[in-house]
Amino acid sequence: MSKSVIHVAVTGAAGQIGYALLPRIASGAMFGPERKVFLHLVEIPHEKALAALQGVAMELQDCAFPLLDGMLCTSDLEQGFGDCDWALLVGAKPRGPGMERNDLIKENGPIFTGQGKAINDFAKKGCRTVVVGNPCNTNALIAMHNAKDMPREAFSAMTRLDENRAKAQLAEKAGVHHTKVTNMAIWGNHSATQYPDFENALIDGKPVADTIADRAWLEGDFIKTVQQRGAAIIKARGLSSALSAANGLVDHVRDLVNPTEKGDWRSVAVPSDGSYGVPEGLICSFPVRVKKDGGYKIVKDVDLSDFGREKLAASVAELEHERSVIAELLA
Ligand code: NAX
């Protein structure tokens, strides 16, 4: 029996991540080569954005993807999230000149109250929501709180790009292919306080320190490079990461619907269950394993050193601060 068509809403669909993401979804990279998809392309109700969105839809049509069952373009949230299986919340306002992180949090917060409520009211009951738009952990927290009837585990934020970046850095330093790096956990916030945990990562199944003896590099340049990679891309390209962000989202969703390889884990920002002392409910990046039944579990037995615990605590403090800035949006 053929599987039903999967309905995927993508906000910010006319943006640069949208442009790199939509063909990957429509060609089967996210849900596999046998699953047809129907795309709900959501943008703001502005003439320029909607015109650009039409252009993207025309290009998708011109790709004649065999798996693309259809699409709609809209700025109406009922249509946008109506009967969706997945809601990928990519759209957000970019940080403007002179804007502080707190201002960005306050500016973007209300977007996610409205979208959370609309997902609650119009999406399928089992709809899963992934937030990419920054600050993604806190925006996911807002959406989750405003989608009262949806299970909390249905909400996540993306730190997979950070995981991929960290793997690539370790692989380059070790002189191995990046597929040799496993168990690469990102802890905390998707921000410059995140902790890429080199102490529990493996290269070729062995501790990183067996291959990279330079502890000073691991504690210093490695962590800093991963934390600052987004800024380095902006400096080089004049634009923020889009291709790699879209790829991170493809990886994030694909690995949430397939069981994790034995022994390995993935970095996903999910509501904390209190593990590792992270306050319950905060959307924090943890090592996560997806089970055969499709559910996930935060990996409980990772040995965090004092160094790692200190790094995680700093990132969690930032998440708590962000939560305090938007406290009135948490219904
Ligand atoms: P762009 O500015 O190219 O596109 C954003 C699009 O979102 C625009 O077309 C805009 O009209 C639309 N939009 C804004 N508010 C909306 C709303 N309320 N409903 C629907 N659409 C809306 O940004 P892009 O480079 O695509 O980045 C999108 C977001 O991803 C940004 O917030 C960015 O900071 C964030 N990122 C997150 C990353 C992560 O790892 N979590 C990495 C990449 C990226 O920086």
Side-chain angles (χ1 to χ4, degrees):
M1 205 177 77
S2 69
K3 286 188 175 165
S4 59
V5 175
I6 193 157
H7 282 249
V8 186
V10 179
T11 69
Q16 37 150 18
I17 295 178
Y19 197 72
L21 173 69
L22 295 166
R24 301 280 313 275
I25 304 176
S27 62
M30 195 176 262
F31 298 104
E34 286 174 10
R35 198 77 194 262
K36 285 200 168 157
V37 290
F38 188 103
L39 292 170
H40 298 226
L41 310 179
V42 187
E43 261 295 339
I44 46 172
H46 287 186
E47 205 180 316
K48 244 180 133 175
L50 291 174
L53 186 63
Q54 281 304 331
V56 172
M58 285 157 69
E59 285 209 68
L60 283 169
Q61 189 181 19
D62 294 348
C63 291
F65 287 117
L67 291 173
L68 186 57
D69 196 58
M71 63 191 140
L72 61 85
C73 296
T74 188
S75 58
D76 174 75
L77 296 187
E78 178 168 358
Q79 230 194 349
F81 296 119
D83 278 331
C84 272
D85 300 284
W86 283 83
L88 309 180
L89 308 185
V90 178
K93 287 184 195 161
R95 191 159 165 174
M99 213 177 184
E100 296 295 330
R101 193 170 164 92
N102 277 358
D103 300 330
L104 181 75
I105 294 167
K106 281 193 188 143
E107 280 270 323
N108 274 322
I111 295 176
F112 294 87
T113 57
Q115 292 182 352
K117 287 190 172 108
I119 289 165
N120 190 67
D121 294 346
F122 308 123
K124 285 206 184 107
K125 278 300 158 242
C127 174
R128 299 181 77 172
T129 299
V130 186
V131 181
V132 173
N134 278 321
C136 61
N137 298 53
T138 297
N139 290 339
L141 184 74
I142 298 169
M144 180 180 84
H145 274 262
N146 284 276
K148 290 263 169 252
D149 308 323
M150 292 285 180
R152 291 190 156 207
E153 312 76 66
F155 289 80
S156 63
M158 183 175 91
T159 49
R160 182 55 180 270
L161 172 56
D162 306 299
E163 176 187 321
N164 289 346
R165 285 167 170 169
K167 283 178 168 167
Q169 291 303 314
L170 289 181
E172 187 178 47
K173 181 77 172 176
V176 299
H177 192 260
H178 45 261
T179 49
K180 298 284 182 200
V181 185
T182 61
N183 300 74
M184 184 67 246
I186 302 294
W187 299 84
N189 199 2
H190 167 69
S191 75
T193 66
Q194 67 176 272
Y195 172 48
D197 180 2
F198 60 85
E199 292 183 314
N200 286 291
L202 303 175
I203 296 177
D204 235 344
K206 294 193 274 302
V208 168
D210 288 8
T211 319
I212 303 173
D214 186 352
R215 173 89 192 182
W217 179 83
L218 289 166
E219 284 188 13
D221 281 354
F222 164 67
I223 294 181
K224 209 157 134 211
T225 301
V226 177
Q227 290 174 337
Q228 303 288 341
R229 187 69 164 179
I233 302 278
I234 293 176
K235 194 159 171 243
R237 220 170 75 84
L239 288 167
S240 56
S241 321
L243 182 158
S244 56
N247 180 68
L249 185 51
V250 169
D251 287 351
H252 176 112
V253 174
R254 188 200 56 226
D255 289 349
L256 277 180
V257 292
N258 291 296
T260 310
E261 299 89 331
K262 204 167 184 303
D264 204 356
W265 55 60
R266 300 280 172 243
S267 306
V268 188
V270 293
S272 172
D273 57 1
S275 299
Y276 302 97
V278 179
E280 223 177 309
L282 270 189
I283 305 273
C284 180
S285 186
F286 290 103
V288 157
R289 278 196 188 114
V290 176
K291 300 178 291 179
K292 281 209 180 82
D293 67 6
Y296 73 79
K297 274 253 174 285
I298 294 171
V299 183
K300 304 283 185 189
D301 54 353
V302 179
D303 188 14
L304 269 182
S305 67
D306 289 346
F307 177 82
R309 285 192 181 273
E310 208 176 288
K311 294 277 176 206
L312 173 60
S315 203
V316 168
E318 183 184 48
L319 284 171
E320 288 184 294
H321 168 72
E322 290 185 9
R323 182 172 60 180
S324 73
V325 174
I326 50 77
E328 77 277 10
L329 302 180
L330 303 180

